[in-house]
Amino acid sequence: MDYKYNGKQSHATRLEMFIALNYLLDNCPSEKRTSKTVELQAYAMEHFNEFVDRRKANDIFDDLVEFTRDYPGVIPYTVVRVGNKPRYFVKKNLFSDIEIKKIAYAVKDYGGLTEKASDQLIGSFLDKATDQEKKKQVLGILHKTPSMVKRHITDAQMGMIDKLIWLRDNKARFYFKLNRRPDPDDVVLSTPLRLPPVMAERERKRVKPIYPGYYAGYVYEVTQTAKSTKVCIYMPDYKNAVITNANNVVLNDLYSPFPPMEEPIFELKGPRTIDDWYTSYFKGQAGHRKTTVTFKFCAGLDLEAIPEMKAKFEAFFKEGDMKYALQERRVKRKHLDGSEDFIAVQDAVVKVECCYGAFEKWYWESRAFEKVVVLEPADWNDRLLSRIIERFAARLTKYGTRFDYELGMRPKPEFEQQLKEREERFLAWKARREQRLKAQEQQAEPKTTSDSSSPSGAPVQ
Protein backbone atom coordinates (compact mmCIF):
# COMPACT_ATOMS: atom_id res chain seq x y z
CA MET A 1 0.00 0.00 0.00
CA ASP A 2 1.48 3.33 -1.08
CA TYR A 3 1.71 6.30 1.22
CA LYS A 4 -0.73 8.87 -0.08
CA TYR A 5 1.45 11.91 0.47
CA ASN A 6 4.84 11.04 -0.95
CA GLY A 7 4.53 7.58 -2.46
CA LYS A 8 6.34 5.77 0.41
CA GLN A 9 4.99 2.66 2.03
CA SER A 10 2.92 3.01 5.18
CA HIS A 11 5.49 1.15 7.27
CA ALA A 12 8.32 3.28 8.54
CA THR A 13 11.79 2.91 7.10
CA ARG A 14 14.56 1.71 9.39
CA LEU A 15 16.13 5.16 9.55
CA GLU A 16 12.80 6.79 10.40
CA MET A 17 12.20 4.30 13.20
CA PHE A 18 15.69 4.91 14.54
CA ILE A 19 15.23 8.69 14.50
CA ALA A 20 11.80 8.42 16.11
CA LEU A 21 13.11 6.16 18.91
CA ASN A 22 15.96 8.58 19.63
CA TYR A 23 13.50 11.45 19.71
CA LEU A 24 11.34 9.62 22.27
CA LEU A 25 14.37 8.77 24.43
CA ASP A 26 15.55 12.38 24.45
CA ASN A 27 12.21 14.14 24.81
CA CYS A 28 9.36 11.82 25.86
CA PRO A 29 10.28 9.90 29.03
CA SER A 30 6.81 9.59 30.60
CA GLU A 31 3.10 10.15 30.19
CA LYS A 32 3.63 13.72 31.38
CA ARG A 33 5.88 14.50 28.41
CA THR A 34 4.65 12.89 25.20
CA SER A 35 5.44 13.22 21.50
CA LYS A 36 4.53 15.93 19.02
CA THR A 37 4.75 15.43 15.28
CA VAL A 38 6.17 18.90 14.65
CA GLU A 39 8.91 18.27 17.24
CA LEU A 40 9.88 14.97 15.55
CA GLN A 41 10.26 16.71 12.19
CA ALA A 42 12.47 19.44 13.69
CA TYR A 43 14.48 16.88 15.71
CA ALA A 44 15.23 14.82 12.59
CA MET A 45 16.56 17.84 10.71
CA GLU A 46 18.63 19.14 13.65
CA HIS A 47 20.28 15.91 14.76
CA PHE A 48 20.31 13.74 11.62
CA ASN A 49 19.84 16.22 8.74
CA GLU A 50 16.98 14.05 7.52
CA PHE A 51 13.46 15.01 6.51
CA VAL A 52 10.67 13.10 8.26
CA ASP A 53 7.20 14.05 7.12
CA ARG A 54 5.23 14.98 10.24
CA ARG A 55 2.07 13.58 8.62
CA LYS A 56 3.76 10.16 8.78
CA ALA A 57 4.97 10.54 12.38
CA ASN A 58 2.08 8.74 14.08
CA ASP A 59 2.42 5.78 11.72
CA ILE A 60 6.11 5.54 12.65
CA PHE A 61 5.30 5.65 16.37
CA ASP A 62 2.61 2.98 15.90
CA ASP A 63 5.17 0.74 14.22
CA LEU A 64 7.46 1.19 17.25
CA VAL A 65 4.58 0.40 19.62
CA GLU A 66 3.83 -2.79 17.72
CA PHE A 67 7.50 -3.86 17.43
CA THR A 68 8.44 -3.31 21.10
CA ARG A 69 5.25 -5.07 22.19
CA ASP A 70 5.64 -8.13 19.97
CA TYR A 71 9.43 -8.45 20.37
CA PRO A 72 10.18 -7.26 23.92
CA GLY A 73 13.64 -8.81 24.11
CA VAL A 74 15.19 -7.08 21.10
CA ILE A 75 15.68 -3.58 22.54
CA PRO A 76 15.41 -2.55 26.23
CA TYR A 77 12.61 -0.05 25.58
CA THR A 78 8.81 -0.11 25.25
CA VAL A 79 7.00 2.59 23.24
CA VAL A 80 3.56 3.33 24.68
CA ARG A 81 0.58 5.10 23.13
CA VAL A 82 -1.45 7.24 25.54
CA GLY A 83 -5.08 6.00 25.47
CA ASN A 84 -6.79 6.79 22.19
CA LYS A 85 -4.72 9.90 21.60
CA PRO A 86 -1.92 10.04 19.05
CA ARG A 87 0.57 10.77 21.82
CA TYR A 88 3.54 8.52 22.60
CA PHE A 89 6.33 8.08 25.15
CA VAL A 90 9.06 5.50 25.82
CA LYS A 91 9.73 3.36 28.91
CA LYS A 92 13.21 2.04 29.71
CA ASN A 93 12.85 -1.55 30.89
CA LEU A 94 16.38 -2.97 30.92
CA PHE A 95 16.11 -3.19 34.74
CA SER A 96 13.19 -3.18 37.11
CA ASP A 97 12.80 -0.36 39.65
CA ILE A 98 14.06 -2.64 42.44
CA GLU A 99 17.09 -3.71 40.40
CA ILE A 100 17.93 -0.10 39.59
CA LYS A 101 17.95 0.85 43.26
CA LYS A 102 20.05 -2.17 44.24
CA ILE A 103 22.66 -1.46 41.56
CA ALA A 104 22.83 2.22 42.53
CA TYR A 105 23.28 1.27 46.22
CA ALA A 106 26.01 -1.23 45.27
CA VAL A 107 27.95 1.40 43.33
CA LYS A 108 27.60 3.87 46.22
CA ASP A 109 29.02 1.33 48.68
CA TYR A 110 31.90 0.23 46.47
CA GLY A 111 35.12 1.33 48.16
CA GLY A 112 37.23 1.21 45.00
CA LEU A 113 35.84 4.53 43.75
CA THR A 114 36.09 8.07 45.01
CA GLU A 115 32.85 9.74 46.05
CA LYS A 116 32.97 11.93 42.94
CA ALA A 117 33.58 8.97 40.63
CA SER A 118 30.83 7.01 42.37
CA ASP A 119 28.31 9.81 41.85
CA GLN A 120 29.28 10.16 38.19
CA LEU A 121 28.93 6.43 37.57
CA ILE A 122 25.54 6.29 39.32
CA GLY A 123 24.30 9.27 37.30
CA SER A 124 25.45 7.72 34.04
CA PHE A 125 23.78 4.41 34.93
CA LEU A 126 20.48 6.06 35.86
CA ASP A 127 20.46 8.06 32.62
CA LYS A 128 20.63 4.79 30.68
CA ALA A 129 18.32 2.75 32.91
CA THR A 130 15.40 5.05 33.80
CA ASP A 131 13.78 8.43 33.22
CA GLN A 132 14.73 11.71 34.89
CA GLU A 133 11.89 11.65 37.40
CA LYS A 134 12.85 8.26 38.79
CA LYS A 135 16.50 9.28 38.63
CA LYS A 136 15.79 12.21 40.96
CA GLN A 137 13.93 9.90 43.34
CA VAL A 138 16.80 7.41 43.52
CA LEU A 139 19.45 10.13 43.94
CA GLY A 140 17.36 11.73 46.67
CA ILE A 141 17.29 8.48 48.62
CA LEU A 142 21.02 7.86 48.08
CA HIS A 143 21.97 11.34 49.32
CA LYS A 144 20.04 10.72 52.54
CA THR A 145 21.64 7.29 53.05
CA PRO A 146 25.22 7.30 54.41
CA SER A 147 27.71 5.09 52.61
CA MET A 148 28.52 1.76 54.26
CA VAL A 149 32.19 1.85 53.25
CA LYS A 150 35.19 4.01 53.95
CA ARG A 151 36.71 5.42 50.78
CA HIS A 152 40.32 4.30 50.45
CA ILE A 153 41.04 6.02 47.15
CA THR A 154 41.45 9.70 46.34
CA ASP A 155 40.71 11.66 43.18
CA ALA A 156 44.44 11.81 42.40
CA GLN A 157 44.75 8.03 42.75
CA MET A 158 41.70 7.56 40.55
CA GLY A 159 43.35 9.78 37.95
CA MET A 160 46.47 7.61 38.05
CA ILE A 161 44.36 4.47 37.59
CA ASP A 162 42.69 6.02 34.55
CA LYS A 163 46.14 6.80 33.06
CA LEU A 164 47.34 3.25 33.65
CA ILE A 165 44.22 1.82 32.05
CA TRP A 166 44.77 4.07 29.02
CA LEU A 167 48.38 2.88 28.77
CA ARG A 168 47.19 -0.74 28.92
CA ASP A 169 44.46 -0.32 26.33
CA ASN A 170 46.76 1.53 23.93
CA LYS A 171 49.82 -0.68 24.59
CA ALA A 172 51.82 2.53 24.94
CA ARG A 173 55.44 2.67 26.07
CA PHE A 174 56.09 4.98 29.05
CA TYR A 175 58.73 5.74 31.70
CA PHE A 176 58.18 5.20 35.40
CA LYS A 177 59.77 4.71 38.82
CA LEU A 178 58.40 3.38 42.11
CA ASN A 179 57.96 5.20 45.41
CA ARG A 180 59.25 2.16 47.29
CA ARG A 181 61.06 -1.04 46.43
CA PRO A 182 58.75 -3.98 45.70
CA ASP A 183 58.64 -7.12 47.82
CA PRO A 184 60.52 -10.18 46.52
CA ASP A 185 57.31 -11.90 45.37
CA ASP A 186 56.20 -8.79 43.44
CA VAL A 187 58.86 -9.12 40.73
CA VAL A 188 59.86 -11.89 38.34
CA LEU A 189 63.58 -11.11 38.70
CA SER A 190 65.53 -9.03 41.19
CA THR A 191 67.05 -7.11 38.26
CA PRO A 192 66.98 -4.16 38.58
CA LEU A 193 64.30 -3.15 41.09
CA ARG A 194 65.53 -5.13 44.10
CA LEU A 195 69.28 -4.99 43.54
CA PRO A 196 71.48 -2.97 45.94
CA PRO A 197 71.80 0.64 44.74
CA VAL A 198 75.30 0.21 43.23
CA MET A 199 74.37 -2.94 41.27
CA ALA A 200 71.05 -1.42 40.20
CA GLU A 201 72.91 1.60 38.82
CA ARG A 202 75.16 -0.73 36.82
CA GLU A 203 72.09 -2.38 35.33
CA ARG A 204 70.63 0.99 34.40
CA LYS A 205 73.88 2.00 32.70
CA ARG A 206 73.89 -1.27 30.77
CA VAL A 207 70.59 -0.43 29.08
CA LYS A 208 71.41 3.30 28.71
CA PRO A 209 68.07 4.75 29.85
CA ILE A 210 66.73 7.86 28.16
CA TYR A 211 65.58 9.28 31.49
CA PRO A 212 68.00 8.54 34.38
CA GLY A 213 66.27 6.95 37.35
CA TYR A 214 63.27 5.83 35.30
CA TYR A 215 62.47 2.54 33.60
CA ALA A 216 60.76 1.97 30.25
CA GLY A 217 57.61 -0.12 30.57
CA TYR A 218 54.28 -1.30 29.23
CA VAL A 219 51.17 -1.86 31.35
CA TYR A 220 50.32 -5.53 31.01
CA GLU A 221 47.20 -5.47 33.20
CA VAL A 222 45.32 -3.45 35.84
CA THR A 223 43.38 -5.38 38.47
CA GLN A 224 41.07 -4.18 41.22
CA THR A 225 41.46 -6.21 44.43
CA ALA A 226 39.38 -5.98 47.58
CA LYS A 227 41.56 -3.21 49.04
CA SER A 228 43.63 -1.68 46.25
CA THR A 229 44.29 -1.43 42.53
CA LYS A 230 47.23 -3.49 41.31
CA VAL A 231 49.13 -2.80 38.10
CA CYS A 232 51.47 -5.21 36.31
CA ILE A 233 54.23 -3.36 34.43
CA TYR A 234 56.48 -5.13 31.94
CA MET A 235 60.06 -3.81 31.47
CA PRO A 236 61.32 -4.78 28.00
CA ASP A 237 64.93 -3.72 28.66
CA TYR A 238 65.24 -6.35 31.39
CA LYS A 239 62.57 -8.89 30.31
CA ASN A 240 61.18 -8.44 33.80
CA ALA A 241 57.79 -7.54 35.30
CA VAL A 242 56.57 -6.04 38.55
CA ILE A 243 53.16 -5.97 40.24
CA THR A 244 52.55 -3.08 42.59
CA ASN A 245 49.86 -0.73 43.89
CA ALA A 246 48.81 1.90 41.40
CA ASN A 247 49.63 4.68 43.89
CA ASN A 248 53.22 3.39 44.08
CA VAL A 249 53.88 4.32 40.44
CA VAL A 250 55.40 7.66 39.40
CA LEU A 251 55.13 8.54 35.70
CA ASN A 252 57.66 10.72 33.89
CA ASP A 253 55.78 13.84 32.80
CA LEU A 254 58.49 14.76 30.27
CA TYR A 255 57.55 11.80 28.09
CA SER A 256 54.25 11.62 26.22
CA PRO A 257 53.28 7.96 25.69
CA PHE A 258 51.87 6.96 22.34
CA PRO A 259 50.82 3.65 20.79
CA PRO A 260 53.83 1.70 19.42
CA MET A 261 54.51 0.92 15.80
CA GLU A 262 54.62 -2.79 16.67
CA GLU A 263 52.84 -4.87 19.29
CA PRO A 264 54.96 -5.29 22.47
CA ILE A 265 56.20 -8.81 23.16
CA PHE A 266 55.87 -9.62 26.86
CA GLU A 267 58.80 -12.02 27.05
CA LEU A 268 60.26 -12.89 30.46
CA LYS A 269 63.64 -14.33 31.35
CA GLY A 270 63.17 -17.92 32.44
CA PRO A 271 60.62 -20.62 31.60
CA ARG A 272 57.48 -18.78 32.73
CA THR A 273 55.27 -16.62 30.55
CA ILE A 274 53.96 -13.34 31.92
CA ASP A 275 50.40 -14.67 31.80
CA ASP A 276 51.32 -17.68 33.96
CA TRP A 277 53.24 -15.51 36.41
CA TYR A 278 50.44 -12.93 36.63
CA THR A 279 47.82 -15.62 37.27
CA SER A 280 50.03 -17.30 39.87
CA TYR A 281 50.58 -13.99 41.67
CA PHE A 282 46.90 -13.63 42.58
CA LYS A 283 46.83 -17.24 43.75
CA GLY A 284 49.73 -16.55 46.12
CA GLN A 285 52.05 -18.69 43.99
CA ALA A 286 54.32 -16.10 42.38
CA GLY A 287 57.11 -16.60 44.92
CA HIS A 288 60.16 -18.67 44.06
CA ARG A 289 59.51 -21.07 46.98
CA LYS A 290 55.99 -22.42 46.94
CA THR A 291 54.81 -24.72 49.72
CA THR A 292 51.73 -26.79 50.34
CA VAL A 293 50.16 -25.18 53.42
CA THR A 294 47.63 -27.02 55.57
CA PHE A 295 45.55 -25.03 58.02
CA LYS A 296 42.35 -25.49 59.97
CA PHE A 297 39.67 -23.37 61.58
CA CYS A 298 36.67 -24.10 63.77
CA ALA A 299 33.67 -24.45 61.48
CA GLY A 300 31.14 -24.11 64.33
CA LEU A 301 28.40 -26.40 65.55
CA ASP A 302 26.32 -25.77 62.43
CA LEU A 303 29.26 -25.00 60.07
CA GLU A 304 28.30 -21.33 60.22
CA ALA A 305 31.94 -20.14 60.00
CA ILE A 306 32.63 -21.77 56.62
CA PRO A 307 30.89 -19.22 54.30
CA GLU A 308 32.84 -16.29 55.77
CA MET A 309 36.21 -18.06 55.57
CA LYS A 310 35.37 -19.39 52.12
CA ALA A 311 34.73 -15.86 50.85
CA LYS A 312 38.02 -14.58 52.32
CA PHE A 313 39.99 -17.48 50.87
CA GLU A 314 38.52 -17.36 47.36
CA ALA A 315 38.77 -13.56 47.12
CA PHE A 316 42.54 -13.72 47.71
CA PHE A 317 43.80 -17.00 46.27
CA LYS A 318 41.51 -17.02 43.19
CA GLU A 319 41.36 -20.82 43.18
CA GLY A 320 37.63 -21.26 42.73
CA ASP A 321 35.89 -23.21 45.48
CA MET A 322 37.74 -23.63 48.76
CA LYS A 323 38.04 -27.39 49.20
CA TYR A 324 38.03 -28.58 52.80
CA ALA A 325 37.68 -31.71 54.89
CA LEU A 326 35.77 -31.81 58.18
CA GLN A 327 37.31 -33.28 61.30
CA GLU A 328 35.48 -33.70 64.58
CA ARG A 329 37.03 -32.98 67.98
CA ARG A 330 35.70 -32.82 71.52
CA VAL A 331 35.87 -29.60 73.50
CA LYS A 332 35.48 -29.25 77.27
CA ARG A 333 32.94 -26.69 78.51
CA LYS A 334 32.72 -25.20 81.98
CA HIS A 335 29.39 -23.96 83.28
CA LEU A 336 28.68 -21.25 85.84
CA ASP A 337 27.92 -23.85 88.53
CA GLY A 338 31.35 -25.38 88.07
CA SER A 339 30.19 -28.45 86.21
CA GLU A 340 31.90 -29.60 83.03
CA ASP A 341 30.87 -31.49 79.94
CA PHE A 342 32.12 -32.15 76.43
CA ILE A 343 30.68 -31.16 73.08
CA ALA A 344 31.66 -32.20 69.57
CA VAL A 345 32.75 -29.42 67.18
CA GLN A 346 33.85 -29.55 63.55
CA ASP A 347 37.16 -28.27 62.21
CA ALA A 348 37.56 -27.50 58.51
CA VAL A 349 40.99 -28.51 57.17
CA VAL A 350 42.18 -26.71 54.02
CA LYS A 351 45.24 -27.08 51.77
CA VAL A 352 46.65 -24.43 49.46
CA GLU A 353 49.90 -24.13 47.50
CA CYS A 354 51.52 -20.72 47.98
CA CYS A 355 54.62 -18.89 49.15
CA TYR A 356 55.06 -17.57 52.68
CA GLY A 357 54.72 -13.90 51.69
CA ALA A 358 51.31 -14.46 50.10
CA PHE A 359 50.01 -16.51 53.02
CA GLU A 360 51.24 -13.92 55.51
CA LYS A 361 49.45 -11.16 53.59
CA TRP A 362 46.18 -13.11 53.55
CA TYR A 363 46.57 -14.23 57.18
CA TRP A 364 46.69 -10.67 58.54
CA GLU A 365 44.79 -8.54 56.03
CA SER A 366 41.71 -10.78 55.89
CA ARG A 367 41.76 -11.25 59.71
CA ALA A 368 42.06 -15.00 59.16
CA PHE A 369 44.39 -15.04 62.18
CA GLU A 370 41.33 -14.87 64.43
CA LYS A 371 40.41 -18.46 63.56
CA VAL A 372 43.13 -20.07 61.44
CA VAL A 373 45.73 -22.47 62.87
CA VAL A 374 48.58 -23.55 60.58
CA LEU A 375 49.19 -27.29 60.71
CA GLU A 376 51.94 -27.59 58.08
CA PRO A 377 54.58 -26.20 57.86
CA ALA A 378 54.40 -25.90 61.64
CA ASP A 379 57.27 -23.38 61.83
CA TRP A 380 55.09 -20.85 59.96
CA ASN A 381 53.26 -20.36 63.28
CA ASP A 382 56.55 -19.14 64.77
CA ARG A 383 57.21 -16.83 61.82
CA LEU A 384 53.69 -15.41 61.92
CA LEU A 385 53.18 -14.98 65.65
CA SER A 386 56.45 -14.81 67.61
CA ARG A 387 57.37 -11.17 67.05
CA ILE A 388 53.85 -9.84 67.31
CA ILE A 389 53.20 -11.64 70.61
CA GLU A 390 56.32 -10.07 72.10
CA ARG A 391 55.32 -6.68 70.76
CA PHE A 392 51.77 -6.91 72.14
CA ALA A 393 53.03 -8.06 75.54
CA ALA A 394 55.42 -5.08 75.73
CA ARG A 395 52.64 -2.74 74.64
CA LEU A 396 50.22 -4.03 77.29
CA THR A 397 52.88 -3.77 79.97
CA LYS A 398 53.74 -0.18 79.07
CA TYR A 399 50.32 1.22 78.17
CA GLY A 400 47.81 -1.19 79.69
CA THR A 401 46.10 -0.59 83.06
CA ARG A 402 45.74 -4.12 84.46
CA PHE A 403 48.79 -6.37 84.24
CA ASP A 404 52.52 -6.48 83.54
CA TYR A 405 53.24 -9.22 81.04
CA GLU A 406 56.38 -11.32 81.13
CA LEU A 407 56.64 -13.92 78.40
CA GLY A 408 58.48 -17.07 79.33
CA MET A 409 59.90 -19.24 76.55
CA ARG A 410 61.16 -22.77 77.06
CA PRO A 411 62.44 -24.71 74.04
CA LYS A 412 60.44 -27.77 73.13
CA PRO A 413 62.40 -31.05 73.28
CA GLU A 414 62.49 -31.35 69.48
CA PHE A 415 63.73 -27.79 69.04
CA GLU A 416 66.23 -28.21 71.88
CA GLN A 417 67.63 -31.24 70.07
CA GLN A 418 67.89 -29.21 66.86
CA LEU A 419 69.79 -26.48 68.71
CA LYS A 420 72.14 -29.06 70.20
CA GLU A 421 72.82 -30.65 66.81
CA ARG A 422 73.34 -27.22 65.27
CA GLU A 423 75.90 -26.33 67.96
CA GLU A 424 77.70 -29.63 67.46
CA ARG A 425 77.92 -29.02 63.73
CA PHE A 426 79.26 -25.52 64.34
CA LEU A 427 81.93 -26.76 66.79
CA ALA A 428 82.98 -29.50 64.36
CA TRP A 429 83.25 -26.96 61.55
CA LYS A 430 85.24 -24.62 63.80
CA ALA A 431 87.66 -27.42 64.73
CA ARG A 432 88.20 -28.35 61.07
CA ARG A 433 88.80 -24.71 60.23
CA GLU A 434 91.42 -24.35 63.00
CA GLN A 435 93.18 -27.48 61.80
CA ARG A 436 93.21 -26.19 58.23
CA LEU A 437 94.62 -22.81 59.28
CA LYS A 438 97.29 -24.51 61.43
CA ALA A 439 98.32 -26.71 58.52
CA GLN A 440 98.58 -23.67 56.25
CA GLU A 441 100.81 -21.92 58.79
CA GLN A 442 103.11 -24.95 59.03
CA GLN A 443 103.45 -25.08 55.24
CA ALA A 444 104.36 -21.40 55.20
CA GLU A 445 107.17 -21.67 57.84
CA PRO A 446 110.01 -22.69 55.40
CA LYS A 447 109.30 -19.64 53.28
CA THR A 448 109.67 -17.49 56.40
CA THR A 449 113.18 -18.89 57.26
CA SER A 450 114.46 -18.10 53.76
CA ASP A 451 113.79 -14.37 54.20
CA SER A 452 117.48 -13.86 55.13
CA SER A 453 118.57 -15.18 51.75
CA SER A 454 119.44 -12.92 48.90
CA PRO A 455 116.93 -12.38 46.08
CA SER A 456 118.82 -14.89 43.97
CA GLY A 457 118.53 -17.50 46.68
CA ALA A 458 122.26 -17.46 47.62
CA PRO A 459 123.23 -17.00 51.28
CA VAL A 460 124.27 -13.52 52.31
CA GLN A 461 128.05 -13.22 52.94
Side-chain angles (χ1 to χ4, degrees):
M1 179 179 177
D2 293 336
Y3 186 61
K4 63 181 179 181
Y5 295 105
N6 56 11
K8 293 186 178 180
Q9 294 180 338
S10 61
H11 289 293
T13 66
R14 286 172 294 181
L15 180 58
E16 288 173 338
M17 291 184 69
F18 176 78
I19 294 173
L21 181 60
N22 271 267
Y23 162 73
L24 293 175
L25 288 170
D26 288 346
N27 298 279
C28 309
S30 67
E31 193 171 355
K32 297 179 181 179
R33 291 180 58 190
T34 55
S35 64
K36 294 181 180 179
T37 57
V38 177
E39 285 184 357
L40 173 61
Q41 189 176 51
Y43 181 88
M45 289 299 298
E46 179 182 355
H47 295 279
F48 296 91
N49 195 27
E50 289 288 337
F51 173 76
V52 176
D53 195 327
R54 70 183 186 86
R55 294 168 295 182
K56 193 180 177 185
N58 292 335
D59 291 334
I60 299 172
F61 291 138
D62 284 333
D63 286 342
L64 285 171
V65 171
E66 182 180 350
F67 179 81
T68 57
R69 181 190 65 222
D70 295 344
Y71 305 99
V74 177
I75 57 176
Y77 311 112
T78 300
V79 179
V80 181
R81 180 169 179 163
V82 181
N84 295 323
K85 301 177 182 179
R87 293 290 185 268
Y88 304 83
F89 68 95
V90 66
K91 290 168 49 176
K92 299 176 181 179
N93 52 15
L94 182 61
F95 300 100
S96 67
D97 290 347
I98 295 177
E99 290 173 333
I100 290 172
K101 291 179 181 178
K102 287 182 177 180
I103 294 173
Y105 292 152
V107 174
K108 180 180 177 65
D109 289 336
Y110 177 58
L113 296 171
T114 63
E115 187 171 357
K116 180 181 178 181
S118 176
D119 291 342
Q120 290 176 344
L121 188 57
I122 291 172
S124 177
F125 165 71
L126 293 175
D127 286 337
K128 300 293 190 298
T130 188
D131 57 66
Q132 293 299 310
E133 186 175 344
K134 290 181 180 177
K135 175 183 176 180
K136 291 180 181 178
Q137 293 176 0
V138 174
L139 291 178
I141 297 173
L142 288 176
H143 290 159
K144 294 178 182 177
T145 306
S147 178
M148 301 296 292
V149 299
K150 181 179 180 180
R151 303 288 173 184
H152 61 263
I153 189 169
T154 64
D155 288 329
Q157 291 169 346
M158 196 65 203
M160 172 60 75
I161 293 171
D162 290 338
K163 290 180 183 178
L164 294 171
I165 291 175
W166 184 92
L167 291 169
R168 178 200 64 187
D169 294 344
N170 289 274
K171 296 182 175 60
R173 183 184 178 99
F174 65 101
Y175 287 86
F176 76 100
K177 63 181 179 180
L178 302 179
N179 285 316
R180 61 174 180 80
R181 296 177 69 192
D183 295 330
D185 296 336
D186 292 343
V187 292
V188 177
L189 306 168
S190 60
T191 304
L193 297 173
R194 288 198 54 79
L195 289 177
V198 175
M199 296 179 65
E201 185 61 29
R202 290 175 185 171
E203 286 289 331
R204 281 193 285 267
K205 288 181 178 179
R206 181 179 64 82
V207 299
K208 298 180 180 179
I210 298 176
Y211 299 99
Y214 287 84
Y215 304 98
Y218 294 94
V219 174
Y220 176 72
E221 189 54 275
V222 180
T223 300
Q224 179 67 48
T225 66
K227 292 190 175 182
S228 63
T229 301
K230 296 279 191 177
V231 57
C232 177
I233 302 177
Y234 173 73
M235 294 173 285
D237 294 333
Y238 305 93
K239 294 185 178 180
N240 193 6
V242 58
I243 295 178
T244 185
N245 287 341
N247 57 12
N248 191 32
V249 180
V250 178
L251 301 179
N252 190 324
D253 295 332
L254 299 177
Y255 181 83
S256 298
F258 58 89
M261 298 297 293
E262 298 180 355
E263 289 283 322
I265 300 175
F266 298 100
E267 181 184 358
L268 297 179
K269 283 186 179 179
R272 288 189 292 186
T273 65
I274 192 170
D275 186 57
D276 292 339
W277 179 76
Y278 185 79
T279 303
S280 299
Y281 179 88
F282 290 99
K283 291 182 178 180
Q285 299 176 358
H288 300 288
R289 297 185 62 182
K290 293 183 287 186
T291 305
T292 300
V293 187
T294 305
F295 65 87
K296 71 173 184 178
F297 62 92
C298 181
L301 297 175
D302 299 320
L303 307 183
E304 66 274 7
I306 288 181
E308 179 186 359
M309 190 61 67
K310 182 180 174 69
K312 292 179 179 179
F313 180 90
E314 294 172 359
F316 184 86
F317 289 105
K318 305 288 190 299
E319 289 206 346
D321 293 338
M322 181 187 75
K323 298 179 181 179
Y324 60 91
L326 293 176
Q327 293 182 355
E328 186 176 297
R329 62 184 170 95
R330 295 175 63 81
V331 178
K332 182 189 292 185
R333 291 192 308 181
K334 288 186 177 182
H335 299 279
L336 293 176
D337 59 3
S339 62
E340 298 178 350
D341 64 355
F342 289 86
I343 59 171
V345 298
Q346 299 272 20
D347 285 335
V349 181
V350 183
K351 289 187 178 181
V352 61
E353 186 180 8
C354 67
C355 57
Y356 175 79
F359 188 85
E360 180 186 34
K361 183 178 180 67
W362 173 74
Y363 185 80
W364 294 113
E365 290 189 359
S366 70
R367 300 186 66 85
F369 65 89
E370 295 176 344
K371 295 181 180 179
V372 165
V373 177
V374 179
L375 301 177
E376 291 291 340
D379 66 320
W380 280 22
N381 290 295
D382 302 283
R383 296 176 67 181
L384 290 166
L385 299 173
S386 295
R387 286 182 299 172
I388 202 162
I389 286 177
E390 295 175 0
R391 189 185 308 165
F392 284 169
R395 189 179 301 173
L396 282 169
T397 300
K398 184 174 182 178
Y399 299 105
T401 60
R402 298 180 181 178
F403 303 103
D404 288 335
Y405 289 81
E406 295 181 3
L407 293 178
M409 294 184 292
R410 183 175 64 255
K412 294 182 178 181
E414 299 84 357
F415 183 59
E416 196 169 14
Q417 180 64 25
Q418 291 178 11
L419 293 176
K420 183 178 179 181
E421 293 174 356
R422 186 188 304 170
E423 185 178 7
E424 291 174 352
R425 289 195 299 270
F426 173 74
L427 292 175
W429 170 83
K430 186 177 181 181
R432 290 194 300 269
R433 181 174 181 272
E434 290 176 351
Q435 290 177 0
R436 185 172 66 253
L437 292 175
K438 187 175 181 180
Q440 291 175 354
E441 290 176 358
Q442 291 175 351
Q443 291 176 0
E445 283 180 1
K447 296 179 181 179
T448 305
T449 57
S450 64
D451 288 346
S452 58
S453 304
S454 65
S456 61
V460 179
Q461 300 297 326

